[in-house]
Amino acid sequence: MAGRAVPLGLRRDLAALVDAVPLDFGGGSSLCKALVLADLIIANDLERVLEIGVYHGRLLLPLGFLMTALERGEAVGIDPYTAAAAVQSDAHDRGVDLTAWPAQVDWEGLHSEVLAAIETHAIGERCRVVRARSDEAAADFASGSIDLLHVDGNHDAASVARDVELYLSKVSPGGFIVMDDASWSSVRPTCERLATEHELVFQLFDGGVTVDGVGGNDFAVFRISEPASRGVRR
Ligand SMILES: C[S@@+](CC[C@H](N)C(=O)[O-])C[C@H]1O[C@@H](n2cnc3c(N)ncnc32)[C@H](O)[C@@H]1O
């Protein structure tokens, strides 16, 4: 595929796909984020994308579609789809009790919906969901085998820190870690720790102020340094 960015036709396909996936209180990628990561994948010849926390699939599905169009690599999502895993007990100040909200969600239905979308878009050869918690699935991924990791599972501080602790070594040197909701007080400490050894390439926070009032952007992108240069503050 010519060029170092997503071609216009594919950009339109990705936009239509993201638009068709529900966005609700449980969260979901903006179109902007999906396109930024798609450009990152093309510009850096990335092959294997791993997402912790899939939910409706607003990021996994477009990235699976992209890998299918590129005819390389894969997009893998990890999500247990259980109320227990989605309980968040830190003070997140989201206006809703995040310890009670997960019990109201149809997790089986969500899981089936994402599997059905993978089939509908015919992207199953390069897009799959591992139904497990991130800590349970970690052993399935070899060291340096992931080119882009999206951390968007349980947002409690201990869970975010654990996800990065478990998966950092699995990201190839020169690969990327994308931290969702990087401005949250529970996510920021892990981002600050990452920034001591890895380059913060890009950060976008719009406070949820969008043209249509839907969604918003809050994420940070880190480039993972070679082991030899770790410990050097950039
Ligand atoms: C904010 S949603 C993910 C949104 C999705 N990344 C997107 O951009 O559209 C968070 C998801 O994390 C999942 N989750 C919670 N704990 C998890 C864990 N330990 N491992 C993997 N996923 C987890 C929840 O089930 C939920 O579906």
Side-chain angles (χ1 to χ4, degrees), residues 26 28-29 51 53-55 58 78-80 85 107 133-134 152-154:
S29 175
E51 174 170 66
V54 177
Y55 201 53
R58 274 179 66 98
I78 302 173
D79 198 312
W107 295 101
R133 289 194 321 264
S134 48
D152 193 12
N154 188 300

Side-chain angles (χ1 to χ4, degrees), residues 6 9-19 31 35 38 62 65-66:
V6 180
L10 182 52
R11 210 171 272 274
R12 289 198 175 112
D13 290 342
L14 295 178
L17 204 159
V18 173
D19 213 32
L31 172 60
L35 291 178
F65 191 92
L66 175 71

